[in-house]
Amino acid sequence: MTATPVSPWRLPRRRRSPLPGLGLTLGVSLVFVSLIVLLPLLGLGWQLAQLGWSDYLWVMSDARTLASLRVTLTAAAAATLVNGVFGLLLAWVLVRYRFPGRAALDALVDLPFALPTAVAGIALVALYGQNGWVGSLLAPLGLQVAYSWSGIVIAMVFTSVPFAVRAIQPLIEELDPAEEAAALTLGASRGQIFRTITLPQLMPGILTGTGLSFVRSLGEFGAVIFIAGNIPYETEIASLLIMIRLDEFDYPAAAAIAGTMLGLSLVLLVAINLAQTRLYRRYERGA
């Protein structure tokens, strides 16, 4: 049985894409990004353009503005530190161990994504208030969580912990247990294995997760305002101050604060991407 010869002039059929061509998909994508991302940024830039440099410094040097930035940055940094440690532990448990309720725990990690932040704030107040389950236990010890800086940290941890867990979890799944077993047979302790083998491979995910957690905490509003108490100079966050300036029709001042927060977030995101790329290249060269 002989095979039917194929004509050299017959070209292979072009594989059809399930989506429209490049021109249409790129055009729709650009329109979507322009409407959702670029236009709001341009509006913010236009408001900032109404301020001179001296006006911008006057707004940002205001005592109330500096106090709100201090509260926001310190609380976000503390929440990021907590998420970096416990996010790594939670991701490790979800990947490396099998136990009853593991699927439910894995699903609960994404709950802050689905739960409205205002609902989360009300739930946290009910839990950590003086009459709440946890707050009533802490009150006799002289500890107050609701309507304090600690409450802001807890709200930020709740809303941003999924970023840390989900960024680290895939890297833990890709770890080769054979490397750890080989190091263990060569006499390395578990601490040495973690520092020299496991941690370097997880650093890009840890950096990304904590960075996104910090940026998310900077812009948190709904969950924080219910538990913070919103006391000027003490527990007032930058997002709330922006809303207050908008209610006062002081759009330039609101734009100055919002632009500062946006600029800080963009710088952090670019720094995270550069550091992550550098870590991957260093690890590939070491491997």
Side-chain angles (χ1 to χ4, degrees), residues 54-250:
S54 59
D55 297 328
Y56 174 80
L57 292 178
W58 181 82
V59 172
M60 298 308 301
S61 61
D62 179 69
R64 187 173 180 181
T65 302
L66 293 176
S68 66
L69 291 176
R70 175 183 54 80
V71 171
T72 304
L73 292 174
T74 55
T80 301
L81 181 61
V82 173
N83 286 335
V85 175
F86 290 98
L88 173 60
L89 294 178
L90 182 54
W92 187 271
V93 168
L94 291 175
V95 174
R96 287 300 180 92
Y97 300 100
R98 297 295 181 267
F99 52 90
R102 174 182 171 274
L105 180 60
D106 192 20
L108 283 176
V109 172
D110 294 326
L111 181 62
F113 286 148
L115 189 68
T117 55
V119 176
I122 295 173
L124 290 174
V125 171
L127 184 63
Y128 289 98
Q130 291 186 354
N131 298 325
W133 292 349
V134 179
S136 60
L137 299 176
L138 298 177
L141 302 177
L143 300 177
Q144 180 181 353
V145 175
Y147 314 122
S148 67
W149 181 84
S150 302
I152 298 175
V153 174
I154 291 177
M156 289 182 175
V157 168
F158 176 83
T159 56
S160 60
V161 68
F163 292 96
V165 176
R166 296 312 185 198
I168 302 172
Q169 191 171 354
L171 297 182
I172 298 178
E173 293 174 350
E174 294 177 0
L175 290 176
D176 187 3
E179 296 181 2
E180 301 173 9
L184 192 62
T185 57
L186 293 175
S189 64
R190 295 191 179 274
Q192 291 174 330
I193 294 174
F194 179 77
R195 291 193 306 270
T196 59
I197 297 178
T198 305
L199 188 59
Q201 299 183 58
L202 298 181
M203 277 305 298
I206 294 174
L207 181 64
T208 302
T210 53
L212 292 177
S213 175
F214 183 78
V215 173
R216 176 69 179 85
S217 298
L218 287 180
E220 180 52 42
F221 179 77
V224 173
I225 59 173
F226 286 96
I227 198 172
N230 308 322
I231 304 174
Y233 305 99
E234 295 183 16
T235 60
E236 186 179 60
I237 60 173
S239 300
L240 177 61
L241 185 58
I242 293 172
M243 189 185 74
I244 292 174
R245 294 296 181 243
L246 290 175
D247 290 340
E248 296 172 348
F249 299 99
D250 192 355

Side-chain angles (χ1 to χ4, degrees), residues 230-283:
N230 308 322
I231 304 174
Y233 305 99
E234 295 183 16
T235 60
E236 186 179 60
I237 60 173
S239 300
L240 177 61
L241 185 58
I242 293 172
M243 189 185 74
I244 292 174
R245 294 296 181 243
L246 290 175
D247 290 340
E248 296 172 348
F249 299 99
D250 192 355
Y251 297 118
I257 303 172
T260 301
M261 301 295 290
L262 175 63
L264 178 60
S265 299
L266 291 177
V267 169
L268 288 173
L269 291 176
V270 172
I272 290 170
N273 290 330
L274 293 177
Q276 186 182 39
T277 303
R278 191 171 183 178
L279 286 174
Y280 273 123
R281 289 177 179 176
R282 181 183 300 176
Y283 175 75

